[in-house]
Amino acid sequence: MSWVLKDVLLYGEGDPVDVLLTDGRIAEIGNGLGAEESLEGAGLVLLPGLVDLHTHLREPGREDAETVASGTLAAALGGFTAVHAMANTDPVADTAGVVEQVWRLGQEAGHCDVAPVGAVTVGLGGEEMAELGSMADSAAHVRVFSDDGRCVSDASLMRRALEYVKAFDGVMAQHAQEPRLTVGAQMNEGVNSSKLGLGGWPAVAEEAIIARDCILAGHVGSRVHICHVSTAGSVELIRWAKEKGWDVTAEVTPHHLLLTDDLAATYDAVFKVNPPLRTQVDVDALRQALADGTIDCVATDHAPHALEDKETEWGAALPGMTGLETALSVVAQTMVETGLLTWRQVAERLSETPARIGRLDGHGRPLAVGEPANLCLVDPGARWTVDPAAMASRSRNTPFAGRTLPARVVATFLRGRATVLDGKPA
Ligand code: DOR
Ligand code: ZN
């Protein structure tokens, strides 16, 4: 089926144009174009389909919280055409067999492409290196490796893994958390944790690992990617490592761009996340770093959890928040409406750069004739109120419930096929 998107603004810039999609590609850009199906796009912004480097899909093992099908539908509704699925499933994605299963489930669901992340260590145990090479060679073509949820805290193992992934242009995505500094940690260590009597998660626990891993990546000449950067001090370290010319990239989550640890005073565990919400000083530093390129991209850390794991006392609740369906809107509020990023730069930070870091062919490509039609159409003027019950994710743990956010995804196209139309599953 062919589509024409009428009168859209490419990257939100220039004059309105028509974009013709045939055979999975952008076939023509011009005016007065026709096709079998047509979408009225006046005032809408066309972006390359978004790419998430950090999604938890929970399958296999916790299909009550999310499945590949439900999580990728949530992704498509959020404007994504590709997500990287983290390895902390049950069983862990530490073999070619498991990553191929996750990849195949993504293909079958058809909402967006799923790029499985391979675990670095067997069973996320932190001791024995997993078979990184066979995951790289598998049908899933793994290029991103991470023990996310846990830190690869053994420096020698981290060094060897960095050396190993070089052979196939892989990247080590680190969840930076020195475990000895976060024993009993429940929230950001600071004034609020003292007041509330909750165990503190100090900024230095993140920063110590980032400093170490940047030095290791520089030494080995390999690629390291820092997951969910959350502190102003981390930003300084990443800036320093980039100045050295080391191959270091970093992501920030939407929730760390908007929320602070003041929310822990509610004792509502929907605000419990790892790394934790920090202070306004950190939030401001993260926004500036995303604007100036020190932080390369936004990644959701979409972490769905079943009701019984969230609607419990703070200490017993699991950390994590959903994020796929709200990511673009939170970025619009924190970065576009504040003048820190243009829509052109949003395309870079949420599509082009994450696709490049994950080595995903066919995603994050220019809006140009001949390119794969992986696209997302956004209404920048829309306002909507987040209703957890109305979301496609199987889980309800959004920290943005009840908030009114700007910008809405109107349509998403995966290789020229609509996955979302009129803000609903196509
Ligand atoms: O809050 C988090 N939740 N942080 C992580 O690193 C893991 C994630 C999860 O899997 O729930
Ligand atoms: Zn993590």
Side-chain angles (χ1 to χ4, degrees):
M1 170 162 349
S2 64
W3 275 95
V4 63
L5 315 179
K6 303 290 291 180
D7 293 321
V8 298
L9 300 175
L10 305 187
Y11 307 107
E13 296 172 343
D15 296 325
V17 289
D18 299 347
V19 179
L20 175 67
L21 318 180
T22 51
D23 298 325
R25 293 188 177 268
I26 299 176
E28 203 177 335
I29 297 176
N31 289 107
L33 304 181
E36 291 161 283
E37 295 281 346
S38 159
L39 196 159
E40 186 43 60
L44 305 185
V45 173
L46 188 66
L47 301 176
L50 309 184
V51 174
D52 194 10
L53 270 174
H54 195 143
T55 307
H56 296 274
L57 291 177
R58 304 295 186 223
E59 187 175 4
R62 283 307 299 264
E63 292 83 354
D64 56 325
E66 198 78 285
T67 62
V68 171
S70 67
T72 53
L73 180 58
L77 288 164
F80 292 87
T81 52
V83 298
H84 287 78
M86 276 298 170
N88 63 338
T89 49
D90 182 13
V92 170
D94 58 1
T95 61
V98 178
V99 293
E100 284 188 351
Q101 180 196 357
V102 171
W103 175 78
R104 196 168 303 111
L105 287 167
Q107 293 292 303
E108 282 165 16
H111 303 305
C112 75
D113 286 345
V114 175
V117 173
V120 180
T121 65
V122 174
L124 305 181
E127 288 182 357
E128 189 190 338
M129 215 198 295
E131 294 172 13
L132 309 189
S134 67
M135 289 189 272
D137 290 343
S138 73
H141 205 72
V142 176
R143 287 296 175 271
V144 182
F145 295 87
S146 182
D147 273 2
D148 182 67
R150 303 207 188 146
C151 181
V152 178
S153 64
D154 182 321
S156 153
L157 205 151
M158 185 67 183
R159 178 192 174 159
R160 278 194 292 124
L162 282 164
E163 282 167 348
Y164 203 92
V165 300
K166 253 176 99 169
F168 37 81
D169 196 26
V171 60
M172 285 287 296
Q174 177 68 293
H175 169 118
Q177 177 181 3
E178 165 54 51
R180 296 294 301 145
L181 292 173
T182 51
V183 175
Q186 291 290 337
M187 66 171 292
N188 179 48
E189 180 181 291
V191 178
N192 283 325
S193 64
S194 310
K195 272 196 221 156
L196 299 171
L198 290 169
W201 199 130
V204 293
E206 175 170 307
E207 293 156 9
I209 293 292
I210 292 177
R212 184 201 76 177
D213 287 354
C214 288
I215 295 166
L216 280 174
H219 179 66
V220 169
S222 187
R223 290 204 289 145
V224 72
H225 175 76
I226 311 298
C227 297
H228 41 53
V229 171
S230 72
T231 78
S234 297
V235 168
E236 288 309 305
L237 290 163
I238 292 161
R239 189 170 287 137
W240 164 77
K242 287 189 166 183
E243 278 165 15
K244 291 271 188 192
W246 297 338
D247 209 341
V248 174
T249 56
E251 70 190 31
V252 62
T253 70
H255 48 271
H256 288 112
L257 288 173
L258 182 59
L259 308 177
T260 70
D261 68 348
D262 289 346
L263 288 163
T266 62
Y267 284 106
D268 183 343
V270 79
F271 300 115
K272 179 173 175 177
V273 65
N274 195 18
L277 301 177
R278 304 288 188 182
T279 67
Q280 192 62 47
V281 169
D282 298 299
V283 167
D284 292 341
L286 295 169
R287 290 184 185 185
Q288 288 299 333
L290 182 64
D292 72 22
T294 304
I295 293 179
D296 301 81
C297 62
V298 173
T300 67
D301 196 6
H302 176 81
H305 286 300
L307 270 188
E308 67 266 27
D309 292 321
K310 278 312 246 188
E311 295 199 348
T312 175
E313 77 257 38
W314 186 282
L318 296 181
M321 307 170 157
T322 59
L324 287 167
E325 293 168 80
T326 47
L328 188 68
S329 292
V330 173
V331 170
Q333 178 172 329
T334 58
M335 301 300 294
V336 181
E337 294 204 331
T338 53
L340 288 167
L341 290 182
T342 61
W343 285 106
R344 181 68 193 83
Q345 292 170 312
V346 168
E348 229 171 77
R349 310 288 196 277
L350 273 83
S351 176
E352 295 167 6
T353 302
R356 194 184 67 240
I357 293 168
R359 300 293 192 251
L360 278 191
D361 295 338
H363 291 276
R365 301 290 307 163
L367 301 176
V369 171
E371 295 289 350
N374 296 319
L375 304 169
C376 140
L377 196 56
V378 182
D379 180 354
R383 289 280 179 286
W384 62 291
T385 301
V386 180
D387 173 7
M391 301 194 130
S393 171
R394 279 203 180 173
S395 291
R396 298 278 168 266
N397 54 308
T398 169
F400 308 114
R403 281 182 192 253
T404 298
L405 298 175
R408 188 98 221 228
V409 173
V410 174
T412 309
F413 290 88
L414 180 63
R415 285 181 283 281
R417 178 174 55 82
T419 56
V420 172
L421 280 177
D422 213 7
K424 297 181 201 70

